[in-house]
Amino acid sequence: MKIDLGAGPLRAFRNRNFRLFASGQVLSLAGSRIHDVAAGWLMWQLTGSATWLGVLALAEILPRLLLWPISGLVADSLDRRRVALIFQTLAALEAGLLAVLQALGLVNEWILVLATALLGLNSTFWQPVRQTLIPKLAPPQDLPNVIALTSVLANVARILGPMIAGPAIIWGGISTAFALNGLSFVAVVAALLMMDLTAGDTSPPRQKSRGGVWQGIAVVAAHPGMRPLFILIGIFAITVRPLADLLPAFAAGVFDKGPGGFAALISAMGAGALSVGLLLSWRQQYSGLTTILAGFGLIGATATALFALSTNSIIALVLMFLVGVGVTGKNIVAQTLVQSGLDDAVRGRVLSFYSVIFNAAPSGGALLLGYIGDLVGIRWPVVVAAMIGLAVSFMIFMRRKRLAPYLEVTPGRVSEVQQGSK
């Protein structure tokens, strides 16, 4: 059954697959945000160290650094739904085990790092599959709307997760928060089982994957638009996005707040992200996206630097809202440009490469900035890094007219542009 939502910002919900995907993702991502708040706060309680917060962030991402070429090839070669079901089920079991160990008082910093790494291992194989499913959720003309609404839902979860995590930790303990994360994976499993991935799919059948595990890098390196886009994504991820992983250090060490204050900062960032996602969901055209990409980068980097310098907790909340607007706006536009320009035969490997940069680089940046922050204070390392992100965003803005013909491509013109770039 299709719901008539016209051509407005909710038009992707006309498609049953998207409705199922959306419902599962909101619950699962909310559970993941609950876990992030609980794990970050537990690590701060155990160690009181910003370096350990960086280690925790890196632990989740390390499997992607090691296995991303394989995970991308798996997404291109095997049944994507089956791969997703296997790893989402394993993630639920692992989260449940962590909850039990915490309830028994057996979790220390090393067990927390190991458990986070195991969850990261499952995410390594789930994320490329999840990304490859996105174009199957709605017709090609609705792809920008699907990506924007997917981000909106992720940021609804970003708000709901901390809102639930704070009371869950206060009233039920950290083990309760871990258990809620484990239960949330069930929603994704149910949605995957109910989706019909052939319904309404007008794309050609997926051909046998070309090239080896490194094909994703080769595609990006040869593309005159993707290459600078991926450079921006990587540098921005190292310099600006680590702030989210370092928020416990700001909440407790700078603003002298408890888990409620920490959750408030994350929720403010989520509210900004939600707002910009809703705004971008109205867009139906690809033209102008390169300029918008650079503009959001400038906003996100500037707000991050100002947040690191702030001393007033109310002003900090406003700035975190702007961080959410800038960072998430850039992320939505970047993913739209990447998804629209991909051949489905290499989609898994390119998106696996995208995923490892998008997710691993902030963790590496958080570890580096956290270590420097323990030596000289957390403020100035974040400020300097944000200024680097600001400079790169400005460079993309200056080159926007040159890059636009290669990046602002509707899905139907992918092969045409690829031929023209040779």
Side-chain angles (χ1 to χ4, degrees):
M1 184 183 79
K2 289 190 176 182
I3 298 176
D4 185 10
L5 293 170
L10 301 180
R11 59 189 178 278
F13 281 99
R14 294 176 296 185
N15 302 276
R16 181 175 181 272
N17 278 344
F18 183 77
R19 295 196 299 273
L20 288 170
F21 179 86
S23 59
Q25 283 296 288
V26 166
L27 293 176
S28 178
L29 290 172
S32 297
R33 298 293 78 78
I34 292 171
H35 171 87
D36 291 345
V37 172
W41 193 251
L42 177 59
M43 183 60 81
W44 184 260
Q45 285 184 327
L46 290 170
T47 67
S49 168
T51 301
W52 272 103
L53 291 175
V55 170
L56 184 66
L58 185 62
E60 182 180 5
I61 230 66
L62 188 60
R64 294 187 192 184
L65 290 172
L66 299 176
L67 298 174
W68 69 265
I70 297 175
S71 68
L73 186 60
V74 167
D76 282 337
S77 303
L78 302 180
D79 183 273
R80 289 166 175 170
R81 182 181 357 221
R82 184 172 300 175
V83 172
L85 286 170
I86 290 172
F87 285 99
Q88 289 293 281
T89 302
L90 288 174
L93 295 174
E94 290 164 5
L97 177 60
L98 180 61
V100 172
L101 292 176
Q102 174 63 20
L104 295 175
L106 299 177
V107 176
N108 58 28
E109 59 268 31
W110 290 108
I111 291 177
L112 185 58
V113 167
L114 176 61
T116 300
L118 290 174
L119 287 171
L121 176 63
N122 285 287
S123 182
T124 298
F125 288 89
W126 158 242
Q127 288 300 329
V129 172
R130 185 183 73 85
Q131 297 280 5
T132 58
L133 291 177
I134 286 176
K136 305 293 185 182
L137 302 177
Q141 64 269 22
D142 285 344
L143 179 60
N145 183 246
V146 168
I147 293 173
L149 286 179
T150 299
S151 179
V152 168
L153 296 173
N155 289 288
V156 167
R158 186 185 294 274
I159 296 172
L160 290 176
M163 288 175 61
I164 297 170
I169 293 172
I170 293 170
W171 297 332
I174 290 175
S175 61
T176 300
F178 290 152
L180 290 174
N181 180 43
L183 291 173
S184 72
F185 287 107
V186 177
V188 178
V189 171
L192 287 168
L193 290 172
M194 296 172 65
M195 288 169 62
D196 181 2
L197 297 180
T198 63
D201 184 10
T202 59
S203 61
R206 180 162 44 127
Q207 299 178 1
K208 184 178 180 180
S209 60
R210 303 188 303 269
V213 297
W214 304 108
Q215 187 69 13
I217 294 179
V219 169
V220 171
H223 195 292
M226 290 278 184
R227 187 169 57 248
L229 175 61
F230 270 66
I231 291 172
L232 170 65
I233 292 168
I235 294 178
F236 203 85
I238 293 172
T239 58
V240 177
R241 290 182 50 225
L243 177 62
D245 292 319
L246 297 172
L247 278 181
F250 280 94
V254 174
F255 299 110
D256 195 25
K257 301 292 184 181
F262 173 38
L265 290 172
I266 296 178
S267 295
M269 184 178 180
L274 175 60
S275 300
V276 76
L278 288 171
L279 178 65
L280 288 173
S281 69
W282 284 92
R283 284 187 60 87
Q284 299 186 46
Q285 69 272 22
Y286 291 83
S287 62
L289 284 180
T290 308
T291 300
I292 295 172
L293 172 80
F296 279 128
L298 294 171
I299 293 171
T302 301
T304 297
L306 292 176
F307 170 83
L309 293 171
S310 64
T311 56
N312 182 281
S313 58
I314 301 301
I315 294 176
L317 287 174
V318 174
L319 290 169
M320 282 306 299
F321 178 88
L322 293 176
V323 169
V325 169
V327 171
T328 303
K330 184 205 70 68
N331 292 344
I332 292 173
V333 175
Q335 187 180 155
T336 301
L337 294 173
V338 172
Q339 284 275 18
S340 65
L342 290 180
D343 182 341
D344 199 49
V346 296
R347 187 179 301 275
R349 279 162 290 179
V350 173
L351 289 174
S352 181
F353 181 40
Y354 168 85
S355 180
V356 75
I357 294 175
F358 185 82
N359 293 287
S363 299
L367 179 59
L368 176 61
L369 295 179
Y371 175 75
I372 297 173
D374 281 342
L375 297 177
V376 303
I378 196 62
R379 290 180 183 274
W380 284 107
V382 173
V383 172
V384 172
M387 296 307 293
I388 296 172
L390 184 67
V392 176
S393 298
F394 183 74
M395 291 174 61
I396 294 294
F397 179 79
M398 296 301 293
R399 297 184 61 193
R400 66 192 185 281
K401 293 183 179 179
R402 190 184 313 170
L403 296 174
Y406 299 106
L407 290 176
E408 297 169 11
V409 184
T410 57
R413 292 184 56 239
V414 172
S415 59
E416 173 188 333
V417 172
Q418 286 176 344
Q419 290 292 329
S421 67
K422 291 181 180 179

